Amino acid sequence: MQKTLFDKIWDSHVVIDNSQDEHAGDTTGPSLVYIDRHLIHEVTSPQAFAGLKQSGRKVRSPGLTIATTDHNVSTGNRSLPVVDEVSKMQLETLGRNCKEFGITFYDMTSPDQGIVHVIGPELGFTLPGTTIVCGDSHTSTHGAFGALAFGIGTSEVEHVLATQCIWMYKPKSFLINVKGNLRKSHTITPKDIILKIIHEIGTDGGSGTVIEYRGQAISALSMEQRMTICNMSIEGGARAGLIAPDEITFNYLRGRRYAPKESELDKMIELWKSNLRSDSNVKFDRVETINVDELAPQVTWGTNPSMVVDITDSIPSPEEFAEGDENKRKLAIRALEYMNLEPGTQMTDVHVDRVFIGSCTNSRLEDLIEASIVIKGRKVSPNVRAMIVPGSQKVKLEAERMGLDRIFKDSGFEWRESGCSMCLGMNSDILSPGERCASTSNRNFEGRQGAGGRTHLVSPVMAAACAIEGHFVDVRDWL
């Protein structure tokens, strides 16, 4: 029987299979799935631990869970006390719970602290063929390694802690072929690819599916770039994103703390090579093809990630965006009002107040290197407040070793500590009402970066150029 990569991982982890009625072939109920790796942070774990204590349960496999602080942490001076009482309570509660239940915890003082979806891969905790969950929607990031990774709710966090399993309905399979070559000038990036995909399929196009990304453009990407693609699968409505592991994947894993040691890793690689790939003639439930040969830098104009255009385009009218869909037309009208934009405005005429380079989408070392190429020798516009937030302490220290921090600071960027920062506004890094931001994060919903804040999603190089000019520019003209 021919199987997709998703099917192979699913089948090898199902404990109780209720995914199909043997007579009708229809989905009948959730299946019980074993979980190999569990990541937790301070926001979605307190109630889960409280539930364990109330029921007198222990954590079944403490060694399969790691914890870090990321959502609420300050990215400013870490020596100062946490002012927000809710944030302080959540941070302290996570520390106590991890100590009580024997879970490895990377707190704000740890050299391994960082965004949960950044430190998992860099520590080698993320491995091909595994199932990975976290109480965070962007757990899909880890699918870049050929892992079935998805976000879960707080009650499910408790269930995984207690049983190392989860009940879930089996998603459908969705193949997206990405054809073509990205230009070698660093101006067209994986962020542009995934924004284009979301524009094409819509924010609900992947609903109820696991997307497998394949094609020449995907195979050529580094692991950090693949993580950007899989990270935003959830913005297209998918349950998870997957990229089959290859030599690029295997080389990335060598020498990392939680990864198998050399001899054992070589044996695992042979198994991964033979097993972790969709069979050649397998049929997916849905297939789409995207060509990126002529792809331009992408920028969002509205309040969901599908509201995106080429940098050379103008903002569409609600009718243009809707293409006959009345609900989409109403959404576009509301989005334009919230964003204070007029149809027909050239994207290059849109000015910004803030620039944020960071988040679990684009805060890795390669992202910072590419931004530094644009920024070096230039100055941030006096009308813009710009900040760089590394995804982890390891990223921060390596960037400083390379001198990237000096490039950023000399240009006028703020160089911050690691954390989720302005991606979601659960800390002190937020927009003021009416402020407009070019952001490398993953969501541009109303109020996502602060009440009344207006968010435009772009790549790191586009955000960097925007910071210098004070408005959106076509970075292809720069590099």
Side-chain angles (χ1 to χ4, degrees):
M1 179 181 176
Q2 299 289 296
K3 293 184 178 182
T4 66
L5 170 58
F6 162 59
D7 287 329
K8 292 177 181 181
I9 300 174
W10 175 273
D11 290 347
S12 66
H13 287 80
V14 167
V15 179
I16 300 174
D17 188 3
N18 293 322
S19 61
Q20 286 192 336
D21 183 302
E22 62 181 22
H23 301 293
D26 295 327
T27 298
T28 57
S31 296
L32 187 65
V33 179
Y34 180 77
I35 300 302
D36 295 301
R37 298 285 189 270
H38 189 195
L39 301 152
I40 59 175
H41 55 80
E42 73 274 20
V43 177
T44 56
S45 64
Q47 300 93 330
F49 281 110
L52 291 181
K53 294 175 185 178
Q54 186 175 13
S55 60
R57 292 190 176 99
K58 296 180 179 180
V59 173
R60 181 176 179 86
S61 302
L64 300 182
T65 297
I66 62 172
T68 190
T69 54
D70 56 5
H71 283 57
N72 286 336
V73 299
S74 169
T75 62
N77 189 339
R78 289 278 168 87
S79 64
L80 297 176
V82 178
V83 176
D84 183 80
E85 287 300 320
V86 174
S87 296
K88 181 180 179 181
M89 179 181 65
Q90 288 184 336
L91 294 168
E92 291 176 348
T93 299
L94 180 59
R96 288 196 302 270
N97 284 329
C98 288
K99 183 177 181 180
E100 180 177 347
F101 288 92
I103 292 171
T104 299
F105 177 39
Y106 302 112
D107 65 11
M108 282 195 291
T109 67
S110 171
D112 295 309
Q113 180 270 338
I115 302 173
V116 68
H117 306 310
V118 175
I119 71 165
E122 72 182 13
L123 290 171
F125 194 70
T126 303
L127 294 174
T130 57
T131 50
I132 302 174
V133 296
C134 175
D136 184 279
S137 58
H138 292 102
T139 310
S140 55
T141 306
H142 306 264
F145 291 79
L148 177 57
F150 50 92
I152 58 177
T154 298
S155 61
E156 294 172 310
V157 171
E158 179 184 350
H159 195 276
V160 174
L161 287 171
T163 68
Q164 209 57 41
C165 291
I166 190 170
W167 289 99
M168 66 179 293
Y169 287 91
K170 185 180 181 181
K172 300 292 187 180
S173 60
F174 185 177
L175 174 64
I176 296 182
N177 284 306
V178 186
K179 293 186 174 182
N181 288 306
L182 294 185
R183 298 172 178 85
K184 300 299 183 182
S185 64
H186 303 284
T187 56
I188 308 299
T189 73
K191 186 64 164 288
D192 300 305
I193 292 178
I194 192 61
L195 284 173
K196 183 66 173 180
I197 288 173
I198 295 167
H199 174 72
E200 292 296 323
I201 70 172
T203 54
D204 60 353
S207 181
T209 73
V210 170
I211 298 176
E212 180 178 339
Y213 301 96
R214 192 195 295 175
Q216 184 180 8
I218 299 298
S219 298
L221 299 178
S222 69
M223 288 312 301
E224 297 195 356
Q225 293 173 323
R226 295 177 189 187
M227 283 185 253
T228 294
I229 297 287
C230 288
N231 174 273
M232 290 188 66
S233 300
I234 191 73
E235 315 311 336
R239 194 74 171 93
L242 275 173
I243 297 173
D246 56 16
E247 291 298 333
I248 294 174
T249 316
F250 308 144
N251 289 334
Y252 178 96
L253 290 171
R254 293 189 185 279
R256 298 187 184 271
R257 184 180 307 169
Y258 288 100
K261 303 310 175 188
E262 282 302 311
S263 59
E264 184 183 354
L265 180 59
D266 288 336
K267 293 178 183 177
M268 293 301 299
I269 287 172
E270 291 306 310
L271 288 174
W272 294 333
K273 283 181 178 179
S274 61
N275 295 331
L276 295 182
R277 189 167 302 278
S278 292
D279 294 329
S280 57
N281 296 318
V282 69
K283 290 186 177 181
F284 287 79
D285 293 302
R286 181 181 176 185
V287 178
E288 296 288 344
T289 297
I290 305 287
N291 194 310
V292 299
D293 270 333
E294 303 301 323
L295 186 63
Q298 304 290 292
V299 54
T300 62
W301 54 267
T303 52
N304 75 51
S306 74
M307 295 176 171
V308 62
V309 293
D310 295 352
I311 183 59
T312 52
D313 288 344
S314 59
I315 296 169
S317 68
E319 290 72 25
E320 288 174 309
F321 174 73
E323 297 181 331
D325 186 322
E326 181 60 19
N327 287 331
K328 288 180 67 176
R329 191 183 74 85
K330 290 178 180 178
L331 285 173
I333 292 172
R334 178 180 175 89
L336 289 169
E337 180 180 357
Y338 181 84
M339 296 295 287
N340 192 29
L341 293 170
E342 292 291 333
T345 303
Q346 290 292 318
M347 284 309 308
T348 50
D349 290 335
V350 177
H351 287 70
V352 302
D353 308 293
R354 303 284 294 273
V355 168
F356 167 61
I357 298 178
S359 86
C360 60
T361 313
N362 283 127
S363 64
R364 296 172 179 84
L365 187 62
E366 290 178 10
D367 299 313
L368 304 191
I369 291 172
E370 294 205 340
S372 73
I373 294 171
V374 175
I375 293 166
K376 189 174 183 179
R378 298 183 167 104
K379 295 292 184 181
V380 171
S381 166
N383 299 317
V384 173
R385 180 185 173 190
M387 57 198 300
I388 304 272
V389 183
S392 71
Q393 286 297 299
K394 284 182 178 292
V395 171
K396 181 175 187 287
L397 291 174
E398 181 60 18
E400 290 173 348
R401 186 191 67 78
M402 297 174 65
L404 302 185
D405 62 318
R406 181 50 53 195
I407 292 173
F408 296 135
K409 288 186 283 190
D410 286 349
S411 72
F413 271 84
E414 298 175 26
W415 178 244
R416 315 283 288 192
E417 299 290 339
S418 54
C420 294
S421 186
M422 195 186 285
C423 175
L424 76 169
M426 291 186 71
N427 45 73
S428 55
D429 300 341
I430 58 174
L431 297 178
S432 297
E435 279 193 313
R436 189 179 303 280
C437 181
S439 176
T440 67
S441 53
N442 40 52
R443 288 182 173 163
N444 53 338
F445 305 155
E446 292 186 20
R448 170 73 175 182
Q449 293 188 293
R454 297 164 178 152
T455 302
H456 297 268
L457 304 178
V458 288
S459 70
V461 291
M462 283 286 287
C466 188
I468 304 302
E469 290 295 326
H471 60 86
F472 292 108
V473 297
D474 188 342
V475 73
R476 293 174 296 181
D477 297 336
W478 287 38
L479 298 175

